[in-house]
Amino acid sequence: MVREPLGEGAAVDLAKMFKALSDPVRLRLLSLIASHEGGEACVCDLTGPFDVSQPTISHHLKVLREAGLVGSERRGTWVYYWVLPPALAKLSGLLQAPEAVSAAGGAR
């Protein structure tokens, strides 16, 4: 975004990610998954910290997965989730402030 304007496709993909993260429960879920020991978390580990039902947690996890922020895999009865580093790199790259200096010599 700093070097060149976003194309339509990239803007749609990034907007989907940001929209998924605009919900506090989903933002906390992403943080819990990312900080979980081993880099992945069972859905059974993610329901305790929230005052919402398990189906609601599953819905939020589905939104994160469909936005391309987390991956998942069923193992027996449980589903395990992990954060997708390329998605975080995309988001952080977009939000990274340019290190440009203005002509007057001051930082922008």
Side-chain angles (χ1 to χ4, degrees):
M1 188 163 85
V2 175
R3 294 189 178 128
E4 61 185 52
L6 285 174
E8 185 176 344
V12 168
D13 291 343
L14 287 163
K16 185 185 262 190
M17 289 181 189
F18 281 114
K19 184 175 181 182
L21 292 175
S22 70
D23 183 281
V25 172
R26 289 194 288 266
L27 191 56
R28 286 184 60 210
L29 279 169
L30 187 72
S31 176
L32 281 169
I33 295 166
S35 63
H36 202 271
E37 186 178 331
E40 65 179 29
C42 173
V43 70
C44 61
D45 297 323
L46 300 173
T47 56
F50 298 95
D51 191 25
V52 296
S53 67
Q54 192 279 326
T56 300
I57 294 294
S58 291
H59 165 74
H60 285 303
L61 290 167
K62 178 183 175 188
V63 171
L64 290 171
R65 193 180 71 248
E66 289 177 347
L69 294 165
V70 298
S72 66
E73 176 181 74
R74 179 171 291 283
R75 298 180 196 155
T77 310
W78 301 108
V79 178
Y80 288 78
Y81 292 87
W82 57 89
V83 173
L84 297 173
L88 295 185
K90 246 189 222 185
L91 292 172
S92 66
L94 180 71
L95 296 175
Q96 195 169 34
E99 298 201 20
V101 177
S102 70
R108 288 189 207 176

